[in-house]
Structures are given as C-alpha cells and as structure tokens.
Amino acid sequence: MFKKESNHYRWKEFFELISKTKPKVGLFIIACIISSASAIATTFIPNFVKTFIDSFSTSGNLNGNILLLLGAFFIFGTLTSAIASYLLNVVGLNVVANLRGITWSKIVKLPANFYDKNKSGDIASRVVNDTTVIFNLVSHSFSQFVNAILTILFCSFWLFYYDWQLALVILIAIPLFLLFFVPLGRVLAKLSKRLQRSTARLNVNAFEMISEIKLVKSFTAENAQIKKGMENIKNLKDIGMKQATWMALVNPILNLIMMLMIITIVGYGGIKLARGDLSPGTFIAFLTLIFYVIPPISNFGTFFTQLQKTKGATERISQLLNEDEENLSEGKFLHVNDQDIELKNISFHYSTQEDLTFSLQDINLKIAGGETYALVGPSGSGKTTLIALLERFYQPTNGAIYMGGENIESFSLSSWRSQIGYVSQEHTLVSGTIRENIIFGLEGDPPSEKKIVKACKMAYAWEFVRKLPNGLDTDIGERGLNLSGGQRQRIAIARMFLKDPKIILLDEATANLDSQSEKEVHAAMQKITKNRTAIVIAHRLSTVMNSDHIIFMEDGKITGQGKHDELRETHELYRKFCKQQLESNQEQTDSEETKQLQIQ
C-alpha cells in the first residue's frame, strides 16, 4: 500500500508540488494582472452608468462621450478577460502536462514490489484524474477567486464612495457568508477525499474487468461483475448526494442572507432616493454594483469546494511521488566476460506475504560463466522467484548475489539489466506493432530491417510475420491479443535475440509452442546460448537434457544438482519428473502419428 496519509495537510505541500512542475510564473503573473485589470475595469462601468443617468436627468441630453467611455471599458473588460483566460489555461496545461510527466516517470522507476502492493487502476487514477483536479484549480478556480477578491474590493470602494450607510449592509453580510463557508469547507474536504478514493476503486475494478473480460465470460460472471460495479457506482452516488445535501442545506441560508441584503438596500435606498439624499444615477449604480458583488461571493463556495478537492488530489499525488524509486544509474558499469554468478545464503520472502514464509531459503549456488543451467521442480518451488532476484526485480531478504566476486548491488541497474535477455512465462507484449515490440527498450538508432528479420527467423516467427497484412508493421492490439499465445511467445523470444544479451534468463519460454516449433526454437536457443551464461526454467525433458547443469528445487530449497543421468539415479522427484515427461511425450507422439494417418 501507499505510505500512510498525513492527517495534518499543509498547503505548503501543494506549492512544493506545483514548483516541481516548473510553472510559467511570469506568464501566470501577467495573466493575473490582465485578469485584475479586467475585473477593475468592469467595476468602473456602473460609475459611467451613474454619470450618464444623472447627466440626462439634469440636462435632458444624452452625453455621447460617456457612452463612448462606457463602450470602451466594456470592450476592454471583455477582451482582457478572454486574454487572461487563455493565458491561465496555457499555464494550467503546462503545469498538468509537467505534473503528469513527473508522475509518469515516477511510475516507470518504481520497484516491482510497489506494484505487488498497489492496484494499477488506483495508480492510473492519480496520474489522470487527480492531476486534472489540480489543472482546474490553477486554470479556472484560482483566477476566478482572484477576480472575485478584486471585484469585491473595488466594488466596496465605489459602494462606500456612493453611500457608506448602504455599504455597511453588505459589509455585515460578508461575515455571515463566511460563518457558513468555513464549516462547509471542512465537511466537503472529507467528502472529497472519500470521492477520490471511490473513483480510484472504480478505476481499479473497471481495469480488472476489462483486462480479464474473457475470464468473466468463461465463468459466466457477468452478473457478479455488474453487481460489483454497481456497488462502486452507488457508493460514488451516495458521496455525491451527501455533498449535494450539504450544499442544499447551506445554499438557501446564503440566498436568504442575500435576499435580506438586497431588500434592505432597495428599501433603505428607495427611502433615501425619495428624500433626495441619493440621485437616480447613484441608486442605479449602487444596485448594479450589488449584482456585481453577489456572484463572486456566491462563487466562494465553488472555489472552496475545488480547493478541498485539490487538497485531496495533492495528497494522493504526493504519496506517489514520495515512494522510493529505483536508481537506474547508481553504481559501477558492468562488463560481462563469462564471470561466474554466485548466490550465497540467499533467502527471500515477498513483502505482500502476511505470514512472512520464505519463498527461497538458504540458497547457495554457483553458476559458471558461459554455461547453461536448467531449473527444474514442481510449481511453487521458487524457480521464478530465483529468476526475479537475478533480474534484480527484488533484493534478497538475506544473503547476496555475486558476479566475478563482486556484489551485483554494486553495479548500476541499467548496466546489469542491459546485459540480460529475459523471456517470461507470460511473454508480455505491449500495444503497438510487431516491430515496436521487437525493438522494445533498445536505445540509440533503431536496428536495421535485416537485423529485425534475422531475429524473427531465429525465433521462428518470420514464417507467420511475413504473412500478416502489414508484416512487421501489423498492429497486434492491446497486450498482443490479436496474436495466438505461441505467436506472442515467438515475438518475445525474437525481442530477446535482437537484444543479443550476455546473460539469458528463460522462464518457461517455450511453454506455448507446438512440438515442431519447440524443436526449432530450441535449435535457435542453443545457438544463442552457446558461450553465454543461460538459466532456463523448463518443465520439458528435452530442454533439461540439453543443459550443462540441472538444479532441482522444492519448497524454496535446492535439493539436487548435477547432470541428467546423475540426478535420475540419485533424486527420486527428478526421476518421477523424467518418467512423467516420457509418458507425456509418448502421448503427444501417438497423437501426432494419428493425425498424420488421418491426413493420409
């Protein structure tokens, strides 16, 4: 899970987060000045209206100069408002783009164990939804708040200038507004946090459901998924209803205060107008200014609501950015020259395991450089975990791994992983074309067409790739789902061949290939593993027998090491493994012979 949320949020954290995005402060200041000029210019319009009306009532003539000034100020206020709005959007978009870039970079650099403990939908929500909340504050709400303050200040000046007694009525109303806004803000802050968490949960469930839709349909779990989704949607609605309830309770009180204020001003002002204490123009200007003041005061509620949302979004993004990340460049550069790899007293358990049971226990193993090792054992014996430690996805709980006598932690992650070719049992592909997947992760100039085709041929993928509509540039869909399992696996193997690594880690790399393809890929693998350090997880006897050394694992421990013939004689479980494989191979051979006879 993410690091614990702070109960004492400070707005300093918000400004620290914004400063990381390197905002265009100069442009923001200019936009605020232009916006302020627009707000100030607008407050002069009622004064021109007053002068125009009073001039007409005394002389009976229309004053063209005042009309021109009125029109000029109106146009000026409109244009400056539009320019300020555009500039603030530029600033906001720059902030949110940089913030998303920072969070995206952070996500890429977070260690594997972070993803074991946190859900991808929640992480994505922080990158997309929470950054949008901050954008809305910077681009819209903040400028509106600044304009509201300036409008109230300048309108207050004119109101007191016209009639201080009437102005006092408005001055008394403002603290009454704040009296309701402060407690409302606290309530909305809690509801905003709950809303953002619920939104993240909905994202998580939606992501899981969409990515595993075939599983849902296979187990006819549509109704269960609909129920689960509707519960999340109902929870979001309930929180929204609570927000609406609080606003519904407070808004009538605020409206009542405003109505009382307007009635008082109209009534008292009307009396003063009848007495001759106020001119008609002053009275109209005063009423106009009141309607200038009311919207900003009313919008304070919206601003404080957005402020509380931003507070929650800032906390969630800050939590993500405060997570410890991998330092890819720290350490020495690694030059692999068939050095031995040695695991000394290695024990490991995953941080997600509540019982802290070790997945690996007291592993001591020496892997000779330039030779091939096969990891064999039942499911859950720790083979994949051992590969993950060698890839440095995780650090051992106890013990250390050495290469050439040096702890591999002393080498930079980037240089270590750049020497490794890794093909997992999931044969993971990304959205895009076959070409993009094969050259995935390669830096510098892209490899030539010839090299890519050669890698495909080595992985026996070219036969089906060249028949596709666009060849290497064929789009394979999300996670390569437009290809079969075997095809995805061959693309993953071709990617490893193109990387031309010094150390090869294969985790069930040929699991989804038919017998003929498996033989062909094995032949290619024997070529690439020649004179390289290779560690292969395999359940097929053909793969195991071609290895220089065999390591048998059970319950996180190494229980046997040696050659095929040696282990078959001395290790009971390995002997059973060989027997099962021979029987399985015989069944497969019989099945293929039957198919051939049927064809003939």
Side-chain angles (χ1 to χ4, degrees):
M1 299 297 290
F2 282 96
K3 292 177 180 178
K4 190 176 180 181
E5 292 184 20
S6 171
N7 293 323
H8 303 286
Y9 180 83
R10 296 173 300 169
W11 280 105
K12 180 183 175 184
E13 295 176 30
F14 169 75
F15 291 108
E16 286 176 350
L17 182 63
I18 295 299
S19 68
K20 291 178 182 178
T21 67
K22 298 179 180 178
K24 297 181 178 180
V25 178
L27 189 62
F28 181 74
I29 293 171
I30 292 170
C32 285
I33 292 171
I34 294 173
S35 182
S36 302
S38 173
I40 294 167
T42 305
T43 64
F44 277 86
I45 292 175
N47 189 57
F48 289 124
V49 172
K50 168 193 173 298
T51 306
F52 178 78
I53 292 172
D54 287 344
S55 174
F56 181 78
S57 62
T58 55
S59 66
N61 296 320
L62 295 175
N63 192 323
N65 292 331
I66 294 175
L67 281 177
L68 287 173
L69 281 172
L70 183 64
F73 268 76
F74 182 80
I75 293 169
F76 176 80
T78 303
L79 288 176
T80 50
S81 177
I83 293 169
S85 177
Y86 172 76
L87 294 178
L88 285 167
N89 270 285
V90 170
V91 173
L93 288 169
N94 181 68
V95 167
V96 78
N98 290 343
L99 186 57
R100 282 176 177 163
I102 291 168
T103 52
W104 186 270
S105 300
K106 184 72 179 185
I107 287 169
V108 172
K109 293 179 181 179
L110 288 169
N113 60 9
F114 171 84
Y115 296 96
D116 295 339
K117 296 180 287 186
N118 294 285
K119 296 179 179 179
S120 53
D122 180 45
I123 299 168
S125 178
R126 296 172 192 247
V127 178
V128 180
N129 297 341
D130 293 339
T131 52
T132 302
V133 171
I134 293 175
F135 166 74
N136 289 333
L137 178 73
V138 174
S139 295
H140 306 298
S141 300
F142 187 81
S143 64
Q144 289 173 359
F145 179 73
V146 171
N147 281 354
I149 294 294
L150 289 171
T151 300
I152 291 170
L153 286 175
F154 277 87
C155 284
S156 298
F157 164 77
W158 287 112
L159 288 169
F160 275 94
Y161 176 75
Y162 293 142
D163 194 298
W164 66 269
Q165 293 172 325
L166 286 176
L168 282 176
V169 176
I170 300 174
L171 198 65
I172 293 169
I174 292 175
L176 291 175
F177 274 102
L178 296 176
L179 187 66
F180 289 97
F181 276 135
V182 172
L184 178 64
R186 290 172 183 166
V187 172
L188 291 177
K190 294 177 182 178
L191 290 175
S192 293
K193 278 189 179 182
R194 287 179 56 192
L195 186 68
Q196 284 160 325
R197 291 195 195 101
S198 295
T199 303
R201 278 197 295 271
L202 184 61
N203 281 343
V204 169
N205 291 333
F207 182 84
E208 290 176 349
M209 187 269 291
I210 293 168
S211 61
E212 300 298 337
I213 191 65
K214 291 180 181 177
L215 175 68
V216 172
K217 293 184 178 298
S218 177
F219 282 81
T220 60
E222 288 91 345
N223 289 334
Q225 286 298 313
I226 290 171
K227 182 181 178 182
K228 187 177 181 181
M230 294 306 292
E231 286 175 355
N232 286 321
I233 292 168
K234 183 179 180 300
N235 188 39
L236 277 172
K237 186 191 81 172
D238 290 343
I239 296 170
M241 286 299 295
K242 287 181 180 179
Q243 287 180 323
T245 301
W246 275 98
M247 293 302 293
L249 289 172
V250 173
N251 276 336
I253 299 173
L254 298 179
N255 290 333
L256 178 62
I257 295 170
M258 284 190 290
M259 287 302 298
L260 289 173
M261 180 181 71
I262 292 170
I263 291 169
T264 303
I265 289 171
V266 170
Y268 184 49
I271 293 171
K272 296 189 80 172
L273 179 64
R275 288 176 180 172
D277 295 336
L278 280 179
S279 68
T282 302
F283 185 63
I284 295 297
F286 205 97
L287 290 177
T288 306
L289 286 167
I290 290 171
F291 288 105
Y292 274 25
V293 169
I294 288 173
I297 294 175
S298 302
N299 288 335
F300 279 158
T302 305
F303 173 74
F304 285 118
T305 301
Q306 187 63 40
L307 208 60
Q308 298 306 327
K309 286 183 180 179
T310 304
K311 176 181 175 181
T314 304
E315 283 186 278
R316 285 166 51 80
I317 295 172
S318 295
Q319 285 172 5
L320 178 64
L321 297 181
N322 288 334
E323 292 290 330
D324 296 327
E325 64 181 51
E326 292 180 328
N327 190 326
L328 300 177
S329 59
E330 184 180 13
K332 297 185 292 185
F333 187 83
L334 173 66
H335 295 278
V336 177
N337 293 308
D338 292 337
Q339 300 102 316
D340 295 344
I341 299 174
E342 191 170 2
L343 291 80
K344 292 185 178 180
N345 305 316
I346 293 292
S347 294
F348 175 78
H349 66 74
Y350 289 96
S351 57
T352 52
Q353 291 176 260
E354 294 182 3
D355 58 1
L356 300 181
T357 302
F358 281 95
S359 300
L360 295 176
Q361 300 180 58
D362 299 322
I363 299 292
N364 287 282
L365 175 64
K366 188 171 184 179
I367 300 169
E371 298 191 6
T372 301
Y373 286 72
L375 294 179
V376 186
S379 297
S381 59
K383 305 183 298 296
T384 299
T385 301
L386 186 60
I387 291 287
L389 290 183
L390 288 169
E391 184 74 11
R392 289 176 65 183
F393 292 152
Y394 306 95
Q395 291 182 326
T397 307
N398 297 312
I401 302 174
Y402 298 86
M403 167 166 271
E406 292 189 74
N407 192 324
I408 63 171
E409 298 293 332
S410 65
F411 302 115
S412 70
L413 273 172
S414 59
S415 68
W416 173 260
R417 290 174 181 164
S418 67
Q419 306 289 340
I420 293 175
Y422 175 61
V423 179
S424 70
Q425 55 187 331
E426 289 91 5
H427 44 269
T428 307
L429 300 182
V430 298
S431 301
T433 65
I434 291 175
R435 184 191 305 274
E436 288 168 345
N437 273 274
I438 292 176
I439 67 174
F440 184 80
L442 297 181
E443 296 182 352
D445 296 331
S448 65
E449 188 90 359
K450 185 177 180 181
K451 287 184 177 179
I452 296 173
V453 171
K454 182 181 178 182
C456 287
K457 288 180 178 178
M458 291 179 70
Y460 290 88
W462 183 244
E463 188 63 26
F464 79 83
V465 170
R466 68 184 181 86
K467 294 178 182 178
L468 294 173
N470 297 312
L472 288 168
D473 296 313
T474 299
D475 189 275
I476 60 175
E478 185 178 359
R479 293 179 289 124
L481 293 179
N482 291 345
L483 302 178
S484 69
Q487 288 173 333
R488 291 199 298 272
Q489 209 156 26
R490 293 188 215 182
I491 295 300
I493 293 170
R495 179 168 60 200
M496 186 266 292
F497 283 154
L498 188 63
K499 188 177 182 180
D500 194 23
K502 302 294 184 183
I503 302 169
I504 297 173
L505 304 177
L506 305 175
D507 189 350
E508 305 283 2
T510 59
N512 290 332
L513 301 181
D514 56 61
S515 58
Q516 181 59 36
S517 298
E518 184 188 1
K519 289 176 184 177
E520 293 170 342
V521 172
H522 271 311
M525 284 186 174
Q526 282 183 307
K527 291 180 183 178
I528 198 170
T529 56
K530 187 176 181 181
N531 299 323
R532 302 176 199 240
T533 305
I535 302 167
V536 182
I537 295 177
H539 285 190
R540 299 197 181 186
L541 189 60
S542 56
T543 305
V544 175
M545 290 180 66
N546 290 328
S547 303
D548 299 315
H549 305 274
I550 300 168
I551 313 296
F552 200 93
M553 297 185 69
E554 299 174 64
D555 299 323
K557 299 178 181 178
I558 294 176
T559 59
Q561 296 186 54
K563 300 283 187 180
H564 168 70
D565 293 335
E566 179 185 349
L567 284 176
R568 192 170 57 178
E569 294 294 327
T570 61
H571 200 287
E572 183 179 353
L573 273 179
Y574 182 77
R575 188 162 52 249
K576 288 182 179 179
F577 163 78
C578 293
K579 183 180 178 181
Q580 290 171 351
Q581 285 294 302
L582 289 171
E583 291 173 354
S584 176
N585 290 342
Q586 185 60 48
E587 289 176 2
Q588 188 173 1
T589 302
D590 293 343
S591 175
E592 290 178 358
E593 288 177 353
T594 303
K595 287 180 182 178
Q596 288 295 325
L597 289 171
Q598 289 174 347
I599 292 170
Q600 293 173 1

